[in-house]
Amino acid sequence: MSSTPFEVYVFDFDGTLVQSAAVKRQAFFEVFPVGCATAVAKVLERDPDGSRHEVIPAMIAEARNMGLDTEGLDAPSLVAAYGRAAEAGVMNAAAMPKADAVLQAASAKAAYVASMTPHDDLQALLDQRGWLRLLRGAYGYPHSKDDVVGELLQRHGIAPSQLIVVGDGTSDRAAAERNGCAFHAITGPQSLAAVPGLGVGGHV
């Protein structure tokens, strides 16, 4: 990891600030019929970070291609059902250890959240936890993480080495790499406290 002091911190939400990645994954299986589970799993394996607006239609198509019963499956209805199930699960999910301290420390510089959660839902979830006040901005779907990072580099007028992306998914790593920025991987509950440059402390 670069020793350059970071000026901007961009955090993912699910699986990074909140222990909700498994909850959101399971919600896909809950809203689809049991007989479509293999199709759901196949799409999630192919696109684990995809938006519900993209992966749910793909799951229906995959089930159809596999010869499974897709009668009555309607993408908009499933997206809405998924949204209700996921929101309930995320609201009740525990925060990552030291999430409040990490965001508080990052807010002394500039802290942002970039997530595949729909934008309005993300704002509400962050507000519920009292985190919006610590952020310069939060960007949910349909904002692209790649684009958000690029725009923040321009907005702050900083070199890529001065921005770090913190996340647990392939989309987080890709957003950092495509913009030439640092990346801190969340691989377990203790990873968030070990984000460099914040002095929070912790072990990966």
Side-chain angles (χ1 to χ4, degrees), residues 25 28-29 32 36-51 54-66 169-171 178:
R25 176 183 170 84
F28 285 112
F29 293 92
F32 271 85
C36 293
T38 53
V40 171
K42 190 169 183 179
V43 172
L44 289 176
E45 181 179 358
R46 188 166 65 232
D47 189 8
D49 289 348
S51 163
E54 297 169 356
V55 297
I56 285 178
M59 289 167 179
I60 295 173
E62 187 68 41
R64 189 175 296 119
N65 291 339
M66 295 175 71
T170 56
S171 62
R178 290 169 185 168

Side-chain angles (χ1 to χ4, degrees), residues 28-38 40 69-71 73 78:
F28 285 112
F29 293 92
E30 292 175 0
V31 300
F32 271 85
V34 174
C36 293
T38 53
V40 171
D69 183 9
T70 59
E71 184 177 358
L73 295 186
L78 288 171

Side-chain angles (χ1 to χ4, degrees), residues 113-125:
V113 166
S115 169
M116 291 306 295
T117 298
H119 186 75
D120 291 344
D121 293 347
L122 178 64
Q123 299 287 323
L125 290 166

Side-chain angles (χ1 to χ4, degrees), residues 178-204:
R178 290 169 185 168
N179 286 282
C181 300
F183 176 67
H184 179 79
I186 301 299
T187 58
Q190 303 306 316
S191 300
L192 183 63
V195 172
L198 297 181
V200 173
H203 302 283
V204 177

Side-chain angles (χ1 to χ4, degrees), residues 17-154:
L17 295 174
V18 179
Q19 299 180 58
S20 52
V23 168
K24 294 190 75 172
R25 176 183 170 84
Q26 183 59 34
F28 285 112
F29 293 92
E30 292 175 0
V31 300
F32 271 85
V34 174
C36 293
T38 53
V40 171
K42 190 169 183 179
V43 172
L44 289 176
E45 181 179 358
R46 188 166 65 232
D47 189 8
D49 289 348
S51 163
R52 66 194 70 174
H53 296 280
E54 297 169 356
V55 297
I56 285 178
M59 289 167 179
I60 295 173
E62 187 68 41
R64 189 175 296 119
N65 291 339
M66 295 175 71
L68 304 176
D69 183 9
T70 59
E71 184 177 358
L73 295 186
D74 172 69
S77 297
L78 288 171
V79 168
Y82 176 85
R84 292 189 294 270
E87 183 176 3
V90 174
M91 287 181 67
N92 293 319
M96 281 290 192
K98 297 190 178 180
D100 292 281
V102 167
L103 288 176
Q104 185 70 54
S107 71
K109 297 294 187 69
Y112 296 86
V113 166
S115 169
M116 291 306 295
T117 298
H119 186 75
D120 291 344
D121 293 347
L122 178 64
Q123 299 287 323
L125 290 166
L126 289 166
D127 187 45
Q128 176 220 356
R129 294 177 184 269
W131 289 344
L132 271 182
R133 64 183 179 81
L134 300 175
L135 303 172
R136 298 277 188 95
Y139 303 89
Y141 181 86
H143 294 281
S144 159
K145 293 181 182 181
D146 291 6
D147 293 342
V148 168
V149 172
E151 290 167 6
L152 291 178
L153 288 173
Q154 293 185 2

